Amino acid sequence: MVTPLPLSQTDAEIVYPDSDGQPMADNTIQFRWITVIQYNLAWLFADNSEVFVVGDLLWYPVEGNNKLRQAPDVMVVFGVAKGDRGSYQQWKENNVSPQVVFEILSPGNTAKEMNRKLLFYDRYGVEEYYLYDPQKNTLTGWLRSEPWLEIIDEINGWVSPRLGIKFELTEETLILYRPDGQAFTDYIEVQQQLEAAQSRATVAEEQLLQERQAKEIAEERAQRLEQLLREVGIDLDDN
């Protein structure tokens, strides 16, 4: 009986896991910021089929190395199609690197970990990197100036070259503005605005219906009056 030889690393299919076993967020604040940024950016580029916006997706930049990876809290990739993916395997995406990434700091993140992420994003082609700490309300940004990511000296009032969004730091929080000047909102605020708009539309429709009915009643009364006058020999057309 011949015993088959074990497959070598080059012969075996390399698996690129969809999960690194880490939670998407460590707390509710971090989770809320991730979802707010991801959903608003997805909404901003909803009409562009070649902009992929995603949160907490593993990015593998190098084929054949399933240990080299990062899962940015939010990343934006221009030049690749929207769609579901288990992970972002760059060599399958015309070798397009994510151009913009966001990280929301949590108390569990260490300086060593964040430095490692910065080096990763710098090495693998990220053009803009934004790091926000909601507990301390601090924002740091980096912009690629070939060949490195360089820190943005004045981040308050900064407008992203790629996204067109504006960053504003108040004393209490970070506010992000879309290119049309509208501030980013969370799902609850959007739902409240939608319900308020629907309520206003319903009231306006009811008012229009009432006005239409009142007009019809007035016209019916005028026609009836004209008929009664003619019955008694008065013709309004002769006046």
Side-chain angles (χ1 to χ4, degrees), residues 4 40 78 128 155 159:
N40 279 270
F78 291 82
E128 302 176 40
I155 194 66
V159 177

Side-chain angles (χ1 to χ4, degrees), residues 6-68:
L7 292 175
S8 66
Q9 180 67 21
T10 55
D11 295 328
E13 181 181 358
I14 298 176
V15 176
Y16 300 89
D18 294 347
S19 173
D20 58 4
Q22 300 298 317
M24 178 178 178
D26 292 341
N27 54 52
T28 56
I29 297 175
Q30 185 187 25
F31 180 80
R32 183 168 66 250
W33 272 103
I34 292 171
T35 55
V36 165
I37 293 174
Q38 194 267 321
Y39 285 136
N40 279 270
L41 289 177
W43 185 15
L44 178 61
F45 295 104
D47 295 333
N48 191 330
S49 62
E50 294 298 311
V51 180
F52 178 52
V53 181
V54 68
D56 194 43
L57 186 71
L58 279 174
W59 164 25
Y60 294 93
V62 179
E63 184 175 11
N65 189 340
N66 60 5
K67 304 298 182 184
L68 187 62

